[in-house]
Amino acid sequence: MDELYVDSVNHLYGEKKILSSVFLNCKIGEIVGLLGRNGSGKSTLLKIIFGEVKPRFAHLKVDEKLTTKAYLTGKVAYLPQGFFIPQNLKIKDLVNVYANKYKEQLLATEVINTNLSEQIGNLSGGNRRLVEALLLIYCDAKYILLDEPFSQLAPLIADELKLHILKFSHHKGFIITDHYYRQILEISTRIVLINNGCNYHINNEDDLILNGYLPN
């Protein structure tokens, strides 16, 4: 089965328990929205899945194969909260590094096509964030982890990013977390809330109120 699967995730920061027996999965065709208050462990969970943070315990499988770090499989890409690509690299070189199967489609996007000779650090903050996200969405990885992808984006750029996510949601699986929860609700096929170290399935905004994410 094509699925990114992690179970029994436990993690501490010092003596503080951040995640306790958390379960999360994502199949091809799904956009899983991951919500939670600041410090709830959303970003930590994505870093554990990708392999950037070593958990106290986690049972992780990518397409039914056990692994401790999903990036080792080549099937998982991760967009961290901050910029991660060195600012002096040119867009055209980055396209050649990241894109293969979907390279021509990526080159056809406006923000890429009009900035091919630019260094990524010369772009506005919003466009730089968009380009980093597009490089991962259009890469060959099957599962895309996006941590706060909308946080620095103007509404029009955020809408553009959502269109690219929806375009590839038929071919890939996405796990997305963001403080702009309405952006998440708009595009997700299902919602998971991290609260008090545990995960909860969310059906609607009333569930977010019931579990303390939104005020009553």
Side-chain angles (χ1 to χ4, degrees), residues 156-174:
L156 285 177
I157 299 179
D159 288 342
E160 181 181 349
L161 177 55
K162 283 184 283 187
L163 289 176
H164 289 286
I165 293 170
L166 290 169
K167 173 184 175 181
F168 274 88
S169 64
H170 304 291
H171 312 289
K172 302 180 181 235
F174 288 85

Side-chain angles (χ1 to χ4, degrees), residues 16-41:
K16 183 180 180 181
K17 183 175 286 187
I18 301 296
L19 299 169
S20 179
S21 300
V22 166
F23 164 79
L24 187 68
N25 70 321
C26 179
K27 299 176 182 178
I28 300 298
E30 285 193 311
I31 303 174
V32 180
L34 186 62
L35 297 178
R37 290 176 174 267
N38 284 341
S40 62

Side-chain angles (χ1 to χ4, degrees), residues 31-96:
I31 303 174
V32 180
L34 186 62
L35 297 178
R37 290 176 174 267
N38 284 341
S40 62
K42 307 183 302 298
S43 295
T44 299
L45 179 58
L46 295 188
K47 290 176 182 177
I48 287 171
I49 293 170
F50 187 64
E52 185 176 317
V53 168
K54 183 178 180 180
R56 186 180 185 188
F57 182 83
H59 183 76
L60 176 63
K61 292 194 292 185
V62 179
D63 294 347
E64 297 191 328
K65 292 186 178 180
L66 281 171
T67 183
T68 56
K69 299 176 180 180
Y71 75 81
L72 294 175
T73 68
K75 297 180 178 182
V76 180
Y78 167 60
L79 179 77
Q81 287 188 19
F83 298 131
F84 72 97
I85 294 176
Q87 62 180 2
N88 62 327
L89 297 181
K90 290 186 177 181
I91 304 298
K92 60 184 178 182
D93 296 327
L94 291 168
V95 170
N96 289 329

Side-chain angles (χ1 to χ4, degrees), residues 130-180:
L130 177 61
V131 167
E132 288 194 341
L134 292 182
L135 289 169
L136 299 186
I137 291 170
Y138 282 77
C139 79
D140 284 356
K142 296 170 63 175
Y143 305 100
I144 312 297
L145 314 177
L146 302 176
D147 194 354
E148 304 282 343
F150 304 110
S151 63
Q152 301 179 44
L153 304 186
L156 285 177
I157 299 179
D159 288 342
E160 181 181 349
L161 177 55
K162 283 184 283 187
L163 289 176
H164 289 286
I165 293 170
L166 290 169
K167 173 184 175 181
F168 274 88
S169 64
H170 304 291
H171 312 289
K172 302 180 181 235
F174 288 85
I175 300 177
I176 309 176
T177 180
D178 209 286
H179 288 106
Y180 295 95

